[in-house]
Amino acid sequence: MLRGQLLRAGLAMNLIAIRAETESMAREAGGLLLSGAAATNREVTTKSSVMDVVTETDKASERLIVSRITAAFPDDGILGEEGTSRPGSTGRRWIIDPLDGTANFVRGRGTSVVSIGVEIDGQFAVGSVYDPFRDELFSAATGTGAFRNGQRLPNRPAELPLDRACVGLVGGYASWARTERAAVASELLLRAGDMRYSGSAALDLCHVAAGRLDASYGNGCWVWDLAAGAVIAREAGCIVGGTTAGSEPTGDRMLAATPGLMPALRALVQESLASLDR
């Protein structure tokens, strides 16, 4: 039994050390976001659609993070939104969104973040999300709690009815995702207490963890949108999953909520999606 306790303690210490690395990287990359936001001329190109944009700041942020991972963890895998992809041999994979909320960024809205998650043996295990515009760093490692600027976040209350909940909505630009999101949004407007649309899935997950949102529904996203924020929300006592009980979140569909709210949110999403098939 003592050996098992020591092994768990050793794993926790290792995760805390990795969390500290993600925090440092996210803060440094956040400086690039602030510099890019202050620039008068931004080169903006498109990816999957005219609204799916990328800037030189996205690319510079990813280069910085990748260079630091490569120096400190040369055998780890890496997956980045802006094209970095390499296998690893350690069971760890770093999942990077160097600038989540680029559409906000190019409009000067100040609602963009750096998101760095670490997947271990296929499970989201460590994550940091840094909002440089508010100087807020959210971070977590599995089994060690969630933090904002070094202060532990309290666990979210278990019970909250849907008609008192503030729910976030976020997602991609594919036509199927827009159609599904419209169906969910119409039900939320009628049945939830209130609704918000941030333009950043990573930030939504952190705000669920911190109590600024009570739940969030995302679709048409990518793994780099979720990897860090999912750990942070879970370590704050929230549930992060898919559209069926016990399922994992995916880029296609992600739900995050306080425990007592999740059944009602999941039912609402299921009903909304079913209505599209009728």
Side-chain angles (χ1 to χ4, degrees):
M1 185 172 179
L2 177 60
R3 182 174 181 272
Q5 291 173 338
L6 290 172
L7 286 172
R8 288 192 294 273
L11 176 60
M13 289 299 294
N14 187 46
L15 292 180
I16 290 170
I18 294 172
R19 187 189 73 202
E21 291 286 349
T22 67
E23 291 171 343
S24 175
M25 294 174 191
R27 279 195 178 277
E28 186 175 0
L32 294 180
L33 269 61
L34 291 177
S35 297
T40 54
N41 294 312
R42 300 191 194 98
E43 180 183 343
V44 180
T45 56
T46 60
K47 294 190 285 188
S48 64
S49 75
V50 294
M51 292 301 295
D52 187 9
V53 293
V54 61
T55 70
E56 179 53 37
T57 302
D58 296 71
K59 299 172 185 177
S61 176
E62 182 157 311
R63 287 194 297 267
L64 184 154
I65 296 166
V66 169
S67 69
R68 288 199 51 179
I69 296 169
T70 301
F73 304 91
D75 299 318
D76 286 8
I78 304 176
L79 177 66
E81 180 179 9
E82 303 313 327
T84 303
S85 180
R86 86 172 190 204
S89 59
T90 64
R92 286 191 301 262
R93 183 172 69 153
W94 296 67
I95 304 174
I96 307 162
D97 194 333
L99 199 174
D100 188 33
T102 306
N104 292 334
F105 181 78
V106 299
R107 288 167 176 78
R109 290 180 56 86
T111 313
S112 306
V113 298
V114 178
S115 176
I116 305 174
V118 183
E119 183 183 72
I120 299 179
D121 295 330
Q123 301 294 316
F124 298 151
V126 181
S128 286
V129 175
Y130 181 50
D131 178 353
F133 301 97
R134 293 165 183 79
D135 191 24
E136 285 193 318
L137 176 65
F138 297 90
S139 62
T142 299
T144 66
F147 297 82
R148 179 179 64 224
N149 290 348
Q151 298 297 310
R152 185 162 183 161
L153 294 172
N155 272 19
R156 296 296 315 277
E159 299 299 328
L160 184 73
L162 183 60
D163 63 5
R164 289 177 50 199
C166 185
V167 183
L169 198 65
V170 68
Y173 299 107
S175 59
W176 71 265
R178 289 174 181 260
T179 299
E180 286 192 358
R181 218 155 51 244
V184 172
S186 65
E187 288 299 316
L188 286 173
L189 285 168
L190 293 172
R191 295 161 58 182
D194 207 347
M195 191 170 71
R196 296 289 184 271
Y197 204 113
S198 72
S200 167
L203 194 59
D204 262 27
L205 285 163
C206 292
H207 284 184
V208 172
R212 296 170 185 172
L213 292 172
D214 301 303
S216 180
Y217 171 72
N219 72 348
C221 301
W222 299 89
V223 66
W224 44 74
D225 298 313
L226 313 177
V231 183
I232 295 164
R234 284 171 170 169
E235 286 299 305
C238 302
I239 297 173
V240 183
T243 54
T244 58
S247 63
E248 287 296 304
T250 67
D252 282 351
R253 298 183 186 95
M254 176 279 298
L255 289 80
T258 56
L261 181 57
M262 179 59 90
L265 176 66
R266 186 172 276 133
L268 181 148
V269 170
Q270 289 173 346
E271 292 167 17
S272 300
L273 299 184
S275 72
L276 296 174
D277 296 328
R278 292 198 288 269

